[in-house]
Amino acid sequence: GAPQPPQSIQFSASIDGTPTDFVITDFGSEVFFVITQSAKIGSLIEASSRSSEDPLGEVERVYEVRVLFGDRKLEHYRAYARALIEIVASANSAKGVLLGIALKSHSAEGLRQVLREVRARIGPITAEPPEGPEEVPPRP
């Protein structure tokens, strides 16, 4: 079959009283988030997660966040990327996150509002195909 085109959802929300545009596109191996208040992308940040097992056999998730371009002093942008990769990973998805972001101001409440908006809409986009035993019909 032909490859599926990337799924994308777009919406706007008021974050801390500022109109904010969101675009979330699922490219299969990565989910690309654009969160902007200026119709531009100021920073591009990549986040990934992997599972690692500690010596006691406990599996823990390890998150990595890298600023690809933009102002590295804007530490709070890393917090957004880190929170988004946690949301994606919590959907049992191994997808990476790419975040293009440009916000005019930052507050803890603004971050919470952004995550609430994303969580409300991201359900279907990170859904993995169910992996279970295939139903084999019983022989007549």
Side-chain angles (χ1 to χ4, degrees), residues 17-32:
T18 305
T20 307
D21 294 314
F22 293 79
V23 183
I24 305 172
T25 306
D26 187 339
F27 286 103
S29 61
E30 285 198 312
V31 184
F32 183 30

